Amino acid sequence: MDATTNAITTAALIDGYADVAGHRSEWMARGPERDAMRAAARKAWDFVLALHMGEHFTPERFTEITREIDALMANAGAKRLAARTSEWLAAFTA
């Protein structure tokens, strides 16, 4: 696959994650865990937008951003989603 296809595939994976996180946060009680879930969703959606717009990311920068998303999600408590940096990086660099 070429870099554009990898970016689009990865964007689709991250977009699905962001959608689940965003919807899940709507059902959470107000508080820091909900805020963390929403922050992870927003950061993921912003990243997807940048990928769709063709912004160039080195694997190092890509990893840094996805680790930030995972770190935000880690604060979302029991309803958090699993860390996905490794999975996304594999799709991005395939």
Side-chain angles (χ1 to χ4, degrees), residues 24-81:
R24 191 175 282 191
S25 73
E26 294 299 319
W27 296 100
M28 294 173 73
R30 292 178 198 258
E33 292 177 347
R34 179 183 183 184
D35 294 343
M37 179 81 70
R38 292 180 121 177
R42 279 192 306 273
K43 185 154 193 79
W45 279 317
D46 289 345
F47 189 40
V48 167
L49 181 61
L51 287 167
H52 278 298
M53 294 181 71
E55 189 171 331
H56 174 73
F57 292 94
T58 63
E60 294 79 18
R61 179 70 179 133
F62 181 93
T63 301
E64 181 183 336
I65 293 169
T66 56
R67 283 188 178 155
E68 289 172 10
I69 294 167
D70 283 345
L72 288 166
M73 186 57 72
N75 294 318
K79 295 187 182 279
R80 71 180 174 268
L81 301 176

